[in-house]
Amino acid sequence: MSEKTEKLLSVLKLQPVVPVLIIDDVATAVPLARALVAGGLKAIEITLRTTAALEAIRAVANEVEGAVAGAGTILNAAQYQAAVEAGSQFIVSPGTTQELIDAANDSDIPLLPGAATASEVMGLREEGYKVMKFFPAEQAGGAAYLKSLSSPLAGTLFCPTGGISLSNAKDYLSLPNVVCVGGSWVAPKELVARGDWAGITKLAAEAFALRG
Ligand code: 3PG
């Protein structure tokens, strides 16, 4: 296994659930990340869907002890580089392009590339990938679909995201080809807007307890 894959797996194995965050106001990034870390969720994916995202990654990487800041919704090489410069320790994309694979090959920071079909998984395996994001998990066929990939595509591990919550996370986490799941449910917009950090720590702790 390559050093970069090991690095990625060591992050994804920190916890059963990776929070997927959409941060509108950079001022919320640090208290939100601290609340998640306090609940046990150290690896945190901040998506590049807002103008605050890069600054939020920088703030979490520099200011939140114990956090492992990552970037999500990376769609091209320029975003990959910007996210790495901001301090991301892992990069997540919803799908895969050659441009992203090239950017990942040029970087020390590992990519968790998106795949949703057997052919996409096979293409990534040919590029040397062993760990992928299964997206959008529920809409693409859910845990039953992913389970059916486990035998023919043995050796590939997934972090499913999309439509996952406390109620269905275990369906995925019990599969042999799932390393963790991702989801936004641990950081609901209303709680972030209210600054209810204790509420978020509680959700994070519930998510952390899903395994074990
Ligand atoms: C992602 O980017 O991985 C998903 O948008 C997260 O999906 P969710 O909001 O349904 O958890």
Side-chain angles (χ1 to χ4, degrees), residues 24-174:
D24 291 309
D25 177 2
V26 70
T28 63
V30 166
L32 172 55
R34 286 198 177 121
L36 291 165
V37 171
L41 306 184
K42 295 179 175 175
I44 293 169
E45 176 187 332
I46 297 173
T47 59
L48 260 70
R49 296 183 209 172
T50 65
T51 51
L54 286 172
E55 217 187 315
I57 292 168
R58 195 169 286 114
V60 172
N62 291 333
E63 296 173 41
V64 182
E65 211 185 314
V68 180
T73 322
I74 297 297
L75 305 178
N76 56 49
Q79 289 180 331
Y80 202 115
Q81 284 142 16
V84 169
E85 276 164 27
S88 302
Q89 294 185 49
F90 60 100
I91 301 289
V92 186
S93 60
T96 306
T97 64
Q98 191 58 48
E99 178 175 316
L100 273 178
I101 288 174
D102 292 345
N105 286 339
D106 287 344
S107 176
D108 291 335
I109 301 299
L111 171 66
L112 178 69
T117 66
S119 296
E120 289 168 6
V121 174
M122 288 165 67
L124 281 166
R125 283 161 63 114
E126 286 176 7
E127 295 287 344
Y129 285 86
K130 292 190 162 52
V131 192
M132 301 168 201
K133 162 170 165 146
F134 173 52
F135 177 80
E138 278 294 288
Q139 298 81 353
Y145 178 105
L146 195 53
K147 185 179 182 190
S148 65
L149 295 183
S150 65
S151 173
L153 298 171
T156 300
L157 291 171
F158 296 92
C159 172
T161 79
I164 302 180
S165 64
L166 196 65
S167 61
N168 60 0
K170 273 199 171 159
D171 299 344
Y172 292 93
L173 291 167
S174 62

Side-chain angles (χ1 to χ4, degrees), residues 15 17-21 23 28-46 60 64-67 183-188 192 197-205 207-208:
Q15 60 215 46
V17 180
V18 175
V20 177
L21 307 183
I23 296 184
T28 63
V30 166
L32 172 55
R34 286 198 177 121
L36 291 165
V37 171
L41 306 184
K42 295 179 175 175
I44 293 169
E45 176 187 332
I46 297 173
V60 172
V64 182
E65 211 185 314
S184 60
W185 89 87
V186 288
V192 174
W197 310 126
I200 287 176
T201 296
K202 188 164 174 273
L203 291 175
F208 185 78

